[in-house]
Amino acid sequence: MGAGSLEDVLFPGIDVRLERVSVSAEVLCVEAAACGPPPRCPDCRARVRRVHSAYERSLGERPLGGQQLVVRLRVRRFFCDRPLCRRRTFVEQVDGLSERYRRSSLGLKQWLRAVAIGLGGRAGERLCRKLHLAAGRSRLLELLEAPPVPDRAPRVLGVDEFAFRRGRRYGTLLVDIETGRPVDVLPDRTSETFAAWLTDHPGVEIVCRDRATAYTRAIKEAAPHALEIADRWHLLQNLSSAVEKTCHQHRGCLRKRLEEKQLPDEVEVPDVPVVLLLPPELPRTSMVERTRHRHADVHRMLERGWTISAIGRHLGLDRKTVRKFKYTDLDVLLSSAQDRRPNGCWNRSSRISTPASPTESPVAPSSSRRSVTGAIAAASRSSASTSPPSKPAPPNPSASPSPALARSPAGS
């Protein structure tokens, strides 16, 4: 491949002269020199001719053939001989390749800006590493520029707040509702900032805002002719708040209406066949059965004239628990007991009721004695709840002790 053809590939339509190409393991270095006409002064725009000096600058370029490409560009420094111009010297810029204070070519800058817009900082940095582009997340984010703000506000303007840092700092987002594109971002959510923006950008006819009072004050101050509306989400929120407030104010009337059991005599209700639905049967768990027995025991003792304190002492319950069984419906108690699990004593008693197989390992004497004691105590409370308190029966000396309570053989 000749030098001319390589120059057309690397610098198409750019006024540079290719001088040398050096290839290493990872970097492809291209040396070139600017050869365009004398430029104009950047301040006074006068055409200059006198050359001050020349120097070489490095520019990052888009990768070529999977290798990183670096351009060593030699540029000239010119004098500005115009007496009224404050600038004495300046460096020429090659159109389509370089710009002031930039160490990358314009083509590489466009690539990096597209990556930053599509992926952002960290994700864009990982992609650039794969593409052999020397760019970090800070450099990518610096390439993002604020979109131009139009001189006039859109006809339908959407206003809403957002959080830079939740609970600490908030801003305001302005959106064109008809096109769905953002218009501007305000640094805070105060009425003064929004009113100043509306004053500098006239032309708004409809403002779609949230329920913040600061935006209302700004609209009435800077755009009093604009129509204020609410979006669907805030409209539903306003409706739910109004319904909740109304129900709270008339809760006495609603409760009285619910307590009415019969309709007025003048209202004729047609005869409709009544279909009785069987109540759902709860699973017979240990907690459900215990709750049902306790409710029956408490109400049986209340019918016999027992006090709440006496019932609590007899059944081993707290007075608050007895009062709950007295005033709470049985269905409510059963539904609550269905979601609960029995305590450890109930679990231990249910495990003791099933004899262990000979292949199972023996239980420690202390733990088995405590488990059986808890089971006997629970059984005695349930049996004693069916009759009034009476004196305990004398022990039967002829009865043999329970095998579970007997002393364990030595060495077990």
Side-chain angles (χ1 to χ4, degrees), residues 197-360:
W197 192 92
L198 290 177
T199 304
D200 297 337
H201 303 80
V204 61
E205 299 179 5
I206 302 174
V207 180
C208 181
R209 62 171 182 84
D210 61 359
R211 303 192 300 175
T213 57
Y215 299 146
T216 304
R217 293 195 301 267
I219 295 171
K220 292 181 179 179
E221 176 183 352
H225 61 280
L227 177 63
E228 301 180 38
I229 61 174
D231 55 10
R232 289 178 294 180
W233 189 87
H234 290 97
L235 188 63
L236 292 176
Q237 189 178 14
N238 293 341
L239 178 60
S240 61
S241 300
V243 171
E244 183 179 359
K245 181 179 179 181
T246 304
C247 294
H248 182 73
Q249 292 177 350
H250 300 84
R251 60 185 182 276
C253 302
L254 297 176
R255 188 181 299 110
K256 182 179 179 181
R257 185 65 179 174
L258 291 176
E259 292 176 355
E260 296 179 357
K261 297 182 180 180
Q262 296 181 357
L263 295 174
D265 298 337
E266 60 272 9
V267 179
E268 296 182 359
V269 180
D271 295 337
V272 179
V274 179
V275 179
L276 298 178
L277 299 178
L278 296 178
E281 184 178 358
L282 296 176
R284 292 186 174 276
T285 60
S286 56
M287 288 296 298
V288 172
E289 294 299 326
R290 186 173 67 174
T291 303
R292 183 180 286 107
H293 292 323
R294 278 187 177 179
H295 184 272
D297 295 341
V298 169
H299 281 268
R300 188 181 300 108
M301 292 180 182
L302 289 173
E303 292 176 358
R304 296 180 180 178
W306 287 49
T307 62
I308 293 179
S309 300
I311 296 174
R313 287 193 299 269
H314 181 70
L315 298 180
L317 302 176
D318 189 79
R319 289 185 300 175
K320 295 181 181 179
T321 306
V322 178
R323 191 176 292 109
K324 182 181 71 172
F325 276 95
K326 178 181 178 181
Y327 294 107
T328 309
D329 193 8
L330 178 59
D331 296 335
V332 178
L333 295 174
L334 292 179
S335 61
S336 177
Q338 183 183 2
D339 300 332
R340 292 168 51 197
R341 294 183 177 179
N343 52 25
C345 179
W346 192 271
N347 287 334
R348 288 196 297 267
S349 64
S350 61
R351 289 197 296 266
I352 291 299
S353 61
T354 304
S357 61
T359 59
E360 294 181 357

Side-chain angles (χ1 to χ4, degrees), residues 37-108:
R40 294 180 178 272
C41 177
D43 289 351
C44 63
R45 307 304 299 171
R47 181 74 66 177
V48 297
R49 296 183 179 276
R50 199 157 57 103
V51 179
H52 176 275
S53 60
Y55 77 99
E56 191 176 82
R57 57 183 299 188
S58 298
L59 296 177
E61 184 54 283
R62 290 160 290 186
L64 180 63
Q67 288 184 322
Q68 183 179 357
L69 179 60
V70 177
V71 178
R72 302 283 186 181
L73 181 63
R74 189 172 70 250
V75 292
R76 297 165 292 181
R77 181 181 291 272
F78 290 87
F79 284 105
C80 183
D81 298 328
R82 192 170 184 179
L84 299 179
C85 183
R86 295 181 178 181
R87 185 177 296 274
R88 294 305 176 202
T89 62
F90 64 93
V91 179
E92 64 177 340
Q93 304 296 331
V94 180
D95 295 338
L97 182 61
S98 65
E99 60 181 350
R100 297 180 64 186
Y101 311 118
R102 181 69 62 181
R103 301 186 64 179
S104 61
S105 65
L106 295 179
L108 179 59

Side-chain angles (χ1 to χ4, degrees), residues 390-401:
S390 59
K391 296 181 179 181
N396 187 6
S398 61
S400 60

Side-chain angles (χ1 to χ4, degrees), residues 110-181:
Q110 295 176 359
W111 275 30
L112 297 180
R113 180 180 296 174
V115 171
I117 294 175
L119 298 178
R122 296 184 182 274
E125 180 182 2
R126 292 192 292 268
L127 178 61
C128 290
R129 195 179 301 117
K130 293 292 185 181
L131 298 178
H132 301 282
L133 300 177
R137 63 178 185 274
S138 299
R139 185 180 178 185
L140 292 175
L141 296 178
E142 289 176 357
L143 296 176
L144 297 177
E145 300 176 356
V149 180
D151 297 335
R152 295 182 60 83
R155 191 182 70 89
V156 183
L157 179 65
V159 184
D160 202 354
E161 62 182 14
F162 71 98
F164 289 106
R165 186 178 180 184
R166 187 175 298 276
R168 299 292 185 86
R169 183 187 172 195
Y170 289 85
T172 301
L173 179 63
L174 306 179
V175 181
D176 187 353
I177 299 297
E178 294 180 332
T179 61
R181 296 182 178 179

